[in-house]
Amino acid sequence: MVNQASVTMSNFQMYRSIVSPGWTLGWQWAKKEVIWSMVGAQTTEQGDCSKFKGNVPHCCLRKPVVVDLLPGVPYNQQFSNCCKAGVVSAWGQDPSSSVSAFQVSVGVAGTSNKTVKLPMNFTLLGPGLGYTCGPAKVVPSTVYLTADYRRKTQALMTWNVTCTYSQFLAAKNPKCCVSFSSFYNQSITPCPKCACGCQNKNNCVVSDSKQAHKKGINTPRKDNAPLLQCTHHMCPIRVHWHVKLNYKDYWRVKIAVTNFNYRMNYTQWTLVAQHPNLNAVTQVFSFDYKPLVPYEAINDTGMFYGMKFYNDLLMEAGPQGNVQSEVLLRKNKDTFTFKHGWAFPRKVYFNGDECLLPPPDAYPFLPNSAKVNSITISTMVVSAILFLFII
């Protein structure tokens, strides 16, 4: 008896997508189940299937590991919402692309909802560490409509598994940093030194060196190990926030995102910023923008992301490894000020990971007002009196 199951993975995170090289899903069978065939995905290993004669299962491992298929596979291997190389958009960015699915045929699993046992120990890599999956829980069985929409059929059983992401589990150091500059101060506040850790300082590439143009340097590795450009912060991603112009009723900010990783193209990237004036965004140039309002009374967080087929792909380190845009914001005269770093964001996230900001005392500051020269003024007053007396 072979049971056929549809597996659907939905990314409900508002601003964290699963980027290339995509997701990897694993679990442990409760009994001696085998996977006879798969559509829309495949296991990374077949395992020992020597006890089967004739037809050989797709996978005989007790702990199978599943990955998505690449785009362009033959139609008879495709399933709805499959075959995107494991790349899944964030729910807030593109709900239609935030789902990935595949079909699996399972043998030796049981013939009823009493004999079928739920798999255990689910794991999800997206693509690296950070996700923790809970146990499978039985929910009301999924109902399907026939092609003529006149009959309903019901699945044998349905279960859900919830996986949550933690940046602290993913890496001990941040994956991005933020730098600041402004029109009213010539100095630039750089990313903090070793913001993302300097343990790889000896394995970096100097910009414009022969190694940076070496053939094959952009080839990704199976362990997703980055190859970074040599910088003082050693971060794969730097976000630069520049206060550009000040008008009577508006002010303008320029945002630039730079990729320093030679082995990574960020597809469908997202950038989230928290600032009190994001409740009055007038226009965003070159990026798409969506406000994030977790609480109805607070509208201080917004998500920026690339326009499709224009700048939704952030290239690896090099001349093309940056994207940038400008934001026009309307002033609230009761709260707007350039003092004490108010014009800079409170928090910044890239692809769902919080970036390290400079310390507050390093923010670009307003220049001191000109000091009054009392001697010069008194001299001018005396000269004026003498001039009037002579007349």
Side-chain angles (χ1 to χ4, degrees):
M1 179 67 179
V2 176
N3 297 329
Q4 197 170 74
S6 298
V7 180
T8 302
M9 302 169 59
S10 299
N11 182 15
F12 292 115
Q13 297 177 104
M14 290 298 294
Y15 49 83
R16 188 180 193 280
S17 58
I18 296 179
V19 298
S20 180
W23 55 262
T24 301
L25 179 66
W27 65 82
Q28 178 180 333
W29 292 117
K31 300 190 294 183
K32 296 181 179 180
E33 296 90 339
V34 295
I35 298 176
W36 279 105
S37 63
M38 298 188 72
V39 180
Q42 63 183 357
T43 60
T44 56
E45 295 183 41
Q46 182 185 39
D48 183 8
C49 296
S50 58
K51 66 179 180 180
F52 293 91
K53 307 299 180 182
N55 292 335
V56 179
H58 177 81
C59 179
C60 299
L61 292 174
R62 194 179 179 201
K63 297 181 179 180
V65 177
V66 179
V67 294
D68 195 11
L69 295 181
L70 299 176
V73 297
Y75 289 109
N76 61 351
Q77 298 180 26
Q78 294 185 18
F79 192 68
S80 60
N81 294 309
C82 84
C83 314
K84 296 177 286 188
V87 176
V88 184
S89 295
W91 178 266
Q93 180 181 6
D94 186 2
S96 63
S97 300
S98 64
V99 178
S100 187
F102 59 89
Q103 190 177 73
V104 57
S105 297
V106 183
V108 202
T111 57
S112 70
N113 54 11
K114 302 292 184 182
T115 56
V116 172
K117 300 297 181 183
L118 274 60
M120 306 173 294
N121 301 331
F122 281 84
T123 58
L124 176 64
L125 300 179
L129 300 173
Y131 283 96
T132 302
C133 299
K137 294 183 178 181
V138 177
V139 297
S141 297
T142 306
V143 176
Y144 301 94
L145 285 172
T146 56
D148 58 4
Y149 296 98
R150 301 179 64 188
R151 172 179 164 79
K152 293 180 179 179
T153 58
Q154 185 171 310
L156 178 66
M157 62 188 305
T158 302
W159 59 77
N160 284 346
V161 177
T162 302
C163 300
T164 57
Y165 179 79
S166 170
Q167 182 176 347
F168 300 103
L169 294 177
K172 64 179 182 179
N173 296 312
K175 297 180 181 178
C176 52
C177 65
V178 184
S179 57
F180 295 142
S181 62
S182 65
F183 70 90
Y184 55 78
N185 194 312
Q186 293 183 350
S187 63
I188 296 177
T189 302
C191 286
K193 186 177 180 180
C194 294
C196 299
C198 283
Q199 64 275 10
N200 296 322
K201 191 71 175 178
N202 296 327
N203 298 322
C204 61
V205 177
V206 178
S207 177
D208 296 328
S209 65
K210 291 184 178 180
Q211 187 181 2
H213 300 88
K214 187 178 179 181
K215 187 177 180 179
I217 193 171
N218 302 120
T219 305
R221 290 177 47 172
K222 289 184 178 180
D223 59 358
N224 301 324
L227 180 61
L228 302 181
Q229 183 176 309
C230 294
T231 58
H232 71 279
H233 52 75
M234 291 303 292
C235 289
I237 293 292
R238 182 193 65 197
V239 179
H240 186 74
W241 181 285
H242 174 67
V243 180
K244 186 175 182 180
L245 290 169
N246 182 30
Y247 307 106
K248 179 181 178 182
D249 297 318
Y250 300 90
W251 61 298
R252 185 186 290 253
V253 171
K254 183 176 181 179
I255 301 174
V257 184
T258 305
N259 183 5
F260 291 99
N261 188 355
Y262 283 94
R263 291 180 179 153
M264 173 66 78
N265 287 333
Y266 290 91
T267 56
Q268 299 176 341
W269 56 267
T270 62
L271 176 69
V272 172
Q274 182 184 11
H275 189 280
N277 212 169
L278 287 178
N279 62 352
V281 172
T282 302
Q283 190 172 358
V284 178
F285 307 88
S286 302
F287 288 170
D288 282 327
Y289 175 77
K290 180 180 292 185
L292 300 176
V293 190
Y295 308 102
E296 292 185 4
I298 302 176
N299 180 15
D300 65 349
T301 307
M303 178 174 67
F304 303 88
Y305 51 99
M307 297 178 177
K308 207 161 190 177
F309 307 120
Y310 176 59
N311 57 359
D312 57 335
L313 175 65
L314 178 56
M315 299 291 287
E316 71 272 352
Q320 305 298 321
N322 69 90
V323 290
Q324 51 190 303
S325 178
E326 293 188 7
V327 185
L328 187 66
L329 305 105
R330 187 177 67 253
K331 292 180 180 179
N332 182 341
K333 295 182 180 179
D334 295 332
T335 58
F336 180 84
T337 180
F338 283 129
K339 296 179 180 179
H340 310 301
W342 184 92
F344 299 101
R346 283 39 172 174
K347 287 188 177 182
V348 174
Y349 299 82
F350 181 82
N351 275 1
D353 290 321
E354 186 174 355
C355 304
L356 184 65
L357 273 67
D361 59 352
Y363 285 23
F365 55 87
L366 283 168
N368 295 328
S369 58
K371 294 183 179 180
V372 178
N373 192 328
S374 57
I375 298 177
T376 304
I377 291 179
S378 61
T379 305
M380 289 177 63
V381 172
V382 172
S383 300
I385 293 173
L386 291 174
F387 178 75
L388 291 173
F389 180 77
I390 293 172
I391 291 175

